[in-house]
Amino acid sequence: IRWKDFSTVDTWDELIAKAAQRAKSGMKWARSSSSESGKRNVNILCNEKNPRAVHLAQTSIRNAGLNSMVSLSEGDCFDWDLSGSNAGDVIEGRTIFVCNPPWGLRLTQDIDESWVSLREFLRREAGGCESWVLSGNKDLTKILRMKKSRTVVIKTADEDLRWLQYHIFKKSEVAQVLS
């Protein structure tokens, strides 16, 4: 191992053991419920338009043993209504929406339409929350018509990508800003 202050394999084993313990206690907390609200501490809601990706995600969720925490829906995010069976799952200030819309490398069909759907979904369902959007195309992010709060540059394979953070205002806050 090439690590500046690495001393022994025992050090590495100790780090691995500590990480495993943190992961175990984190999952215990995630699967438990809040004493105040009675709701589970972590509830992951997913939506995917591509049926093949949905199948792959369902298999991964099941294999990871996360069925009780992860709910996956299939379809366009424009049609994804969180006020129905998922009512109460979006908690203002505690909910983070993580999105990976198509940006042109693999998926090239209906790209603009997907970004418009994402914009409308976030405006309708994510008020008072934050969103992180992965993009490899700066022009497509303009479709969201939102001001980013933060950018984190990452490189994967030969692609330069950006995680873009957006704080999404509630409708009443947007109206106050505009007036």
Side-chain angles (χ1 to χ4, degrees):
I1 296 177
R2 294 181 187 184
W3 196 342
K4 189 176 180 180
D5 57 351
F6 178 77
S7 55
T8 66
V9 173
D10 291 337
T11 304
W12 178 252
D13 290 340
E14 186 180 322
L15 289 171
I16 295 294
K18 285 180 181 178
Q21 183 55 42
R22 283 195 312 271
K24 186 177 178 181
S25 63
M27 286 305 293
K28 182 179 178 182
W29 176 84
R31 286 188 167 104
S32 65
S33 298
S34 167
S35 58
E36 298 163 8
S37 68
K39 292 185 178 184
R40 190 175 352 188
N41 286 326
V42 174
N43 193 19
I44 301 170
L45 306 176
C46 308
N47 186 70
E48 174 57 56
K49 187 174 183 177
N50 183 313
R52 290 176 51 203
V54 169
H55 177 71
L56 180 62
Q58 286 170 333
T59 301
S60 297
I61 292 164
R62 186 177 50 254
N63 289 344
L66 298 174
N67 286 342
S68 65
M69 288 184 353
V70 180
S71 167
L72 178 61
S73 104
E74 182 179 342
D76 190 321
C77 65
F78 183 82
D79 300 321
W80 195 25
D81 181 10
L82 297 180
S83 64
S85 62
N86 297 314
D89 286 338
V90 176
I91 302 169
E92 185 179 327
R94 285 190 55 203
T95 300
I96 300 172
F97 292 86
V98 180
C99 315
N100 183 12
W103 38 266
L105 183 63
R106 294 180 325 271
L107 306 172
T108 56
Q109 208 171 19
D110 305 323
I111 292 177
D112 288 4
E113 194 176 296
S114 293
W115 282 81
V116 169
S117 291
L118 176 59
R119 178 186 70 213
E120 296 306 314
F121 169 79
L122 291 173
R123 287 182 176 175
R124 184 184 71 237
E125 302 288 347
C129 299
E130 73 178 78
S131 178
W132 284 86
V133 179
L134 182 64
S135 179
N137 185 326
K138 191 161 114 177
D139 293 329
L140 287 171
T141 62
K142 293 175 184 175
I143 294 172
L144 294 179
R145 297 184 193 158
M146 293 189 284
K147 184 178 177 184
K148 66 183 176 196
S149 307
R150 185 173 163 201
T151 302
V152 177
V153 178
I154 62 170
K155 187 166 182 87
T156 179
D158 290 332
E159 295 298 317
D160 289 322
L161 305 175
R162 308 237 175 324
W163 275 111
L164 306 170
Q165 179 189 37
Y166 296 94
H167 287 98
I168 302 159
F169 296 105
K170 293 185 344 187
K171 290 180 185 176
S172 60
E173 292 172 354
V174 172
Q176 289 173 357
V177 170
L178 295 176
S179 54

PDB file of all heavy atoms in Angstrom, residues 138-153:
ATOM      1  N   LYS A 138     -23.122  20.808 -19.510  1.00  0.00           N
ATOM      2  CA  LYS A 138     -23.459  22.092 -18.897  1.00  0.00           C
ATOM      3  C   LYS A 138     -24.711  22.733 -19.516  1.00  0.00           C
ATOM      4  O   LYS A 138     -25.510  23.344 -18.814  1.00  0.00           O
ATOM      5  CB  LYS A 138     -22.258  23.030 -19.047  1.00  0.00           C
ATOM      6  CG  LYS A 138     -22.337  24.277 -18.249  1.00  0.00           C
ATOM      7  CD  LYS A 138     -20.951  24.885 -18.109  1.00  0.00           C
ATOM      8  CE  LYS A 138     -20.825  26.188 -18.808  1.00  0.00           C
ATOM      9  NZ  LYS A 138     -19.520  26.820 -18.625  1.00  0.00           N
ATOM     10  N   ASP A 139     -24.889  22.566 -20.815  1.00  0.00           N
ATOM     11  CA  ASP A 139     -26.037  23.178 -21.480  1.00  0.00           C
ATOM     12  C   ASP A 139     -27.363  22.587 -21.001  1.00  0.00           C
ATOM     13  O   ASP A 139     -28.357  23.290 -20.891  1.00  0.00           O
ATOM     14  CB  ASP A 139     -25.920  23.041 -23.000  1.00  0.00           C
ATOM     15  CG  ASP A 139     -24.765  23.864 -23.552  1.00  0.00           C
ATOM     16  OD1 ASP A 139     -24.455  24.924 -22.954  1.00  0.00           O
ATOM     17  OD2 ASP A 139     -24.171  23.448 -24.562  1.00  0.00           O
ATOM     18  N   LEU A 140     -27.372  21.278 -20.729  1.00  0.00           N
ATOM     19  CA  LEU A 140     -28.612  20.643 -20.284  1.00  0.00           C
ATOM     20  C   LEU A 140     -29.055  21.132 -18.909  1.00  0.00           C
ATOM     21  O   LEU A 140     -30.244  21.234 -18.640  1.00  0.00           O
ATOM     22  CB  LEU A 140     -28.460  19.121 -20.268  1.00  0.00           C
ATOM     23  CG  LEU A 140     -28.425  18.463 -21.641  1.00  0.00           C
ATOM     24  CD1 LEU A 140     -28.048  17.002 -21.519  1.00  0.00           C
ATOM     25  CD2 LEU A 140     -29.751  18.624 -22.356  1.00  0.00           C
ATOM     26  N   THR A 141     -28.112  21.449 -18.038  1.00  0.00           N
ATOM     27  CA  THR A 141     -28.486  21.893 -16.695  1.00  0.00           C
ATOM     28  C   THR A 141     -29.240  23.224 -16.720  1.00  0.00           C
ATOM     29  O   THR A 141     -29.995  23.517 -15.802  1.00  0.00           O
ATOM     30  CB  THR A 141     -27.256  22.017 -15.770  1.00  0.00           C
ATOM     31  OG1 THR A 141     -26.370  22.998 -16.293  1.00  0.00           O
ATOM     32  CG2 THR A 141     -26.553  20.686 -15.647  1.00  0.00           C
ATOM     33  N   LYS A 142     -29.053  23.990 -17.774  1.00  0.00           N
ATOM     34  CA  LYS A 142     -29.777  25.269 -17.909  1.00  0.00           C
ATOM     35  C   LYS A 142     -31.289  25.046 -17.998  1.00  0.00           C
ATOM     36  O   LYS A 142     -32.062  25.913 -17.639  1.00  0.00           O
ATOM     37  CB  LYS A 142     -29.278  26.035 -19.131  1.00  0.00           C
ATOM     38  CG  LYS A 142     -27.841  26.502 -18.988  1.00  0.00           C
ATOM     39  CD  LYS A 142     -27.344  27.156 -20.258  1.00  0.00           C
ATOM     40  CE  LYS A 142     -25.866  27.516 -20.121  1.00  0.00           C
ATOM     41  NZ  LYS A 142     -25.320  28.049 -21.371  1.00  0.00           N
ATOM     42  N   ILE A 143     -31.686  23.882 -18.472  1.00  0.00           N
ATOM     43  CA  ILE A 143     -33.114  23.564 -18.601  1.00  0.00           C
ATOM     44  C   ILE A 143     -33.800  23.575 -17.236  1.00  0.00           C
ATOM     45  O   ILE A 143     -34.985  23.893 -17.129  1.00  0.00           O
ATOM     46  CB  ILE A 143     -33.300  22.194 -19.309  1.00  0.00           C
ATOM     47  CG1 ILE A 143     -32.809  22.301 -20.763  1.00  0.00           C
ATOM     48  CG2 ILE A 143     -34.742  21.725 -19.245  1.00  0.00           C
ATOM     49  CD1 ILE A 143     -32.762  20.978 -21.502  1.00  0.00           C
ATOM     50  N   LEU A 144     -33.053  23.262 -16.169  1.00  0.00           N
ATOM     51  CA  LEU A 144     -33.647  23.252 -14.826  1.00  0.00           C
ATOM     52  C   LEU A 144     -34.087  24.652 -14.374  1.00  0.00           C
ATOM     53  O   LEU A 144     -34.981  24.778 -13.545  1.00  0.00           O
ATOM     54  CB  LEU A 144     -32.651  22.683 -13.805  1.00  0.00           C
ATOM     55  CG  LEU A 144     -32.293  21.216 -13.957  1.00  0.00           C
ATOM     56  CD1 LEU A 144     -31.283  20.812 -12.901  1.00  0.00           C
ATOM     57  CD2 LEU A 144     -33.536  20.339 -13.886  1.00  0.00           C
ATOM     58  N   ARG A 145     -33.439  25.689 -14.896  1.00  0.00           N
ATOM     59  CA  ARG A 145     -33.757  27.074 -14.523  1.00  0.00           C
ATOM     60  C   ARG A 145     -33.656  27.281 -13.014  1.00  0.00           C
ATOM     61  O   ARG A 145     -34.503  27.934 -12.406  1.00  0.00           O
ATOM     62  CB  ARG A 145     -35.133  27.482 -15.014  1.00  0.00           C
ATOM     63  CG  ARG A 145     -35.270  27.465 -16.507  1.00  0.00           C
ATOM     64  CD  ARG A 145     -36.622  27.976 -16.927  1.00  0.00           C
ATOM     65  NE  ARG A 145     -36.866  27.678 -18.310  1.00  0.00           N
ATOM     66  CZ  ARG A 145     -38.055  27.608 -18.853  1.00  0.00           C
ATOM     67  NH1 ARG A 145     -39.124  27.817 -18.117  1.00  0.00           N
ATOM     68  NH2 ARG A 145     -38.194  27.329 -20.116  1.00  0.00           N
ATOM     69  N   MET A 146     -32.615  26.706 -12.422  1.00  0.00           N
ATOM     70  CA  MET A 146     -32.362  26.869 -10.994  1.00  0.00           C
ATOM     71  C   MET A 146     -30.909  27.283 -10.809  1.00  0.00           C
ATOM     72  O   MET A 146     -30.050  26.921 -11.612  1.00  0.00           O
ATOM     73  CB  MET A 146     -32.633  25.568 -10.236  1.00  0.00           C
ATOM     74  CG  MET A 146     -34.078  25.154 -10.216  1.00  0.00           C
ATOM     75  SD  MET A 146     -34.402  23.775  -9.100  1.00  0.00           S
ATOM     76  CE  MET A 146     -33.764  22.405 -10.030  1.00  0.00           C
ATOM     77  N   LYS A 147     -30.665  28.004  -9.753  1.00  0.00           N
ATOM     78  CA  LYS A 147     -29.307  28.431  -9.444  1.00  0.00           C
ATOM     79  C   LYS A 147     -28.651  27.369  -8.560  1.00  0.00           C
ATOM     80  O   LYS A 147     -29.167  27.039  -7.495  1.00  0.00           O
ATOM     81  CB  LYS A 147     -29.326  29.775  -8.722  1.00  0.00           C
ATOM     82  CG  LYS A 147     -27.951  30.309  -8.457  1.00  0.00           C
ATOM     83  CD  LYS A 147     -28.006  31.662  -7.781  1.00  0.00           C
ATOM     84  CE  LYS A 147     -26.601  32.125  -7.467  1.00  0.00           C
ATOM     85  NZ  LYS A 147     -26.598  33.373  -6.742  1.00  0.00           N
ATOM     86  N   LYS A 148     -27.521  26.884  -9.017  1.00  0.00           N
ATOM     87  CA  LYS A 148     -26.826  25.855  -8.233  1.00  0.00           C
ATOM     88  C   LYS A 148     -26.190  26.490  -7.001  1.00  0.00           C
ATOM     89  O   LYS A 148     -25.774  27.648  -7.004  1.00  0.00           O
ATOM     90  CB  LYS A 148     -25.796  25.124  -9.077  1.00  0.00           C
ATOM     91  CG  LYS A 148     -24.650  25.979  -9.524  1.00  0.00           C
ATOM     92  CD  LYS A 148     -23.720  25.208 -10.418  1.00  0.00           C
ATOM     93  CE  LYS A 148     -22.644  26.178 -10.918  1.00  0.00           C
ATOM     94  NZ  LYS A 148     -21.917  25.720 -12.016  1.00  0.00           N
ATOM     95  N   SER A 149     -26.129  25.707  -5.932  1.00  0.00           N
ATOM     96  CA  SER A 149     -25.518  26.150  -4.687  1.00  0.00           C
ATOM     97  C   SER A 149     -24.055  25.739  -4.616  1.00  0.00           C
ATOM     98  O   SER A 149     -23.246  26.394  -3.976  1.00  0.00           O
ATOM     99  CB  SER A 149     -26.242  25.537  -3.486  1.00  0.00           C
ATOM    100  OG  SER A 149     -27.613  25.787  -3.567  1.00  0.00           O
ATOM    101  N   ARG A 150     -23.744  24.624  -5.259  1.00  0.00           N
ATOM    102  CA  ARG A 150     -22.409  24.061  -5.139  1.00  0.00           C
ATOM    103  C   ARG A 150     -22.145  23.134  -6.315  1.00  0.00           C
ATOM    104  O   ARG A 150     -23.066  22.510  -6.838  1.00  0.00           O
ATOM    105  CB  ARG A 150     -22.326  23.295  -3.825  1.00  0.00           C
ATOM    106  CG  ARG A 150     -20.989  22.749  -3.473  1.00  0.00           C
ATOM    107  CD  ARG A 150     -21.047  22.164  -2.067  1.00  0.00           C
ATOM    108  NE  ARG A 150     -19.911  21.294  -1.862  1.00  0.00           N
ATOM    109  CZ  ARG A 150     -19.865  20.362  -0.952  1.00  0.00           C
ATOM    110  NH1 ARG A 150     -20.887  20.161  -0.153  1.00  0.00           N
ATOM    111  NH2 ARG A 150     -18.805  19.617  -0.811  1.00  0.00           N
ATOM    112  N   THR A 151     -20.882  23.011  -6.695  1.00  0.00           N
ATOM    113  CA  THR A 151     -20.460  22.096  -7.754  1.00  0.00           C
ATOM    114  C   THR A 151     -19.317  21.236  -7.243  1.00  0.00           C
ATOM    115  O   THR A 151     -18.379  21.752  -6.649  1.00  0.00           O
ATOM    116  CB  THR A 151     -19.976  22.873  -8.998  1.00  0.00           C
ATOM    117  OG1 THR A 151     -21.021  23.713  -9.467  1.00  0.00           O
ATOM    118  CG2 THR A 151     -19.540  21.932 -10.105  1.00  0.00           C
ATOM    119  N   VAL A 152     -19.416  19.935  -7.480  1.00  0.00           N
ATOM    120  CA  VAL A 152     -18.328  19.019  -7.152  1.00  0.00           C
ATOM    121  C   VAL A 152     -17.939  18.320  -8.448  1.00  0.00           C
ATOM    122  O   VAL A 152     -18.748  17.609  -9.050  1.00  0.00           O
ATOM    123  CB  VAL A 152     -18.755  17.979  -6.083  1.00  0.00           C
ATOM    124  CG1 VAL A 152     -17.621  17.000  -5.818  1.00  0.00           C
ATOM    125  CG2 VAL A 152     -19.205  18.676  -4.815  1.00  0.00           C
ATOM    126  N   VAL A 153     -16.711  18.549  -8.892  1.00  0.00           N
ATOM    127  CA  VAL A 153     -16.219  17.969 -10.136  1.00  0.00           C
ATOM    128  C   VAL A 153     -15.702  16.561  -9.857  1.00  0.00           C
ATOM    129  O   VAL A 153     -14.977  16.336  -8.890  1.00  0.00           O
ATOM    130  CB  VAL A 153     -15.078  18.836 -10.722  1.00  0.00           C
ATOM    131  CG1 VAL A 153     -14.530  18.225 -11.996  1.00  0.00           C
ATOM    132  CG2 VAL A 153     -15.573  20.261 -10.969  1.00  0.00           C
TER     133      VAL A 153
END
